[in-house]
Amino acid sequence: LQDIINNIQINGNSTDIFINIKDAFTDLMENNHNLENTLDEQVPILRTNFLNRLLNGDFSSPDEIANASKYIHLSLRNYVYSIVIFKFDTDFNNYDTLDLTILSTYKLMLKSALDKIIPNALYCDLDEQQLALMIEYPMSQRDQIKQYIEGMVIQIKQEMPKNMLEWILIACGNVVDQLANIPESFENAKLAFRINSANMQSNLLWYVETSNYTVDYFFPIDLQSKLVNSVKSGDKSAVKAILSTLCTQNILKSTLTKPLQKLFIYELL
């Protein structure tokens, strides 16, 4: 009791120390309850921020990922994960106000469908045209995750207007056992777009590890993060060095086709 009094500095109006201890713990419980309610209200924002950081490899260790996942009620045990990217492949070129409004409406419809189909769907915007969804699936049923995603896509098509379906492209990365490996699945989902979109027969593209993928442009995820962070911090010399490296690898020393060069520049922008 003396340690409790010393550690939390209990003060009170009563001469009875036990009443003061009781009042102090009542206040602590009320404060904790208020804090939990505040965190619950912020969960949607925290989930979006968590996935953004995960995709960009911003977490320094698995322990940091585990600690952050507690606040968004994400289970880390006995699950496998995969990234699915939705892209609205429109003909918009200038991105004027009307174009952006249409894209925003499309994405809101997609998010509404995902919320209806997947309980606690974990997704985030990548840019005006793209949205990333993280799939979590029981490890014991890993072999069925492909069928699950295909079924999810069928349900999405049923929930959205038919005239929108022709604009949506969907790419799936490889399945990973740990959240720390999510950037790998993310990169492979983007790779499936780059390789397959030109000759695509359906809305759904799969990354296949055994496929003989052609080497495309150089823009690894760690360099993307460094570029963004350097711009945010105003480090002009670092930005210049990174852009110089990208230009050398993708323009001066490369034999990229014009479409791939344009795709690289689009992603850089």
Side-chain angles (χ1 to χ4, degrees), residues 112-248:
S112 178
L114 290 174
D115 289 334
K116 183 175 181 179
I117 294 167
I118 305 174
N120 299 316
L122 183 55
Y123 53 75
C124 67
D125 292 322
L126 299 177
D127 55 29
E128 289 86 353
Q129 286 182 283
Q130 297 183 95
L131 178 143
L133 167 72
M134 189 181 83
I135 298 293
E136 48 180 318
Y137 202 72
M139 186 177 294
S140 60
Q141 304 172 35
R142 179 178 183 139
D143 294 340
Q144 301 175 31
I145 189 171
K146 185 173 182 179
Q147 291 88 335
Y148 169 77
I149 294 175
E150 289 174 344
M152 175 196 70
V153 170
I154 292 174
Q155 288 182 282
I156 290 173
K157 291 180 178 180
Q158 294 172 346
E159 292 291 332
M160 299 186 69
K162 292 183 179 180
N163 63 334
M164 284 181 54
L165 298 178
E166 60 183 286
W167 300 112
I168 300 179
L169 305 178
I170 307 169
C172 305
N174 60 308
V175 180
V176 296
D177 296 331
Q178 299 179 5
L179 286 176
N181 296 330
I182 279 294
E184 173 191 337
S185 182
F186 179 48
E187 286 298 309
N188 288 335
K190 292 194 292 184
L191 181 59
F193 269 135
R194 296 171 191 167
I195 300 303
N196 295 311
S197 58
N199 300 311
M200 190 188 63
Q201 299 298 321
S202 67
N203 298 73
L204 188 56
L205 303 170
W206 292 96
Y207 172 79
V208 182
E209 295 181 10
T210 57
S211 294
N212 184 22
Y213 286 101
T214 305
V215 176
D216 56 4
Y217 57 78
F218 173 80
F219 200 14
I221 187 68
D222 59 330
L223 210 56
Q224 294 179 35
S225 297
K226 289 179 181 178
L227 179 58
V228 170
N229 292 332
S230 297
V231 170
K232 288 181 178 179
S233 64
D235 190 341
K236 294 183 180 180
S237 61
V239 172
K240 185 176 180 180
I242 294 171
L243 292 178
S244 177
T245 299
L246 294 173
C247 180
T248 300

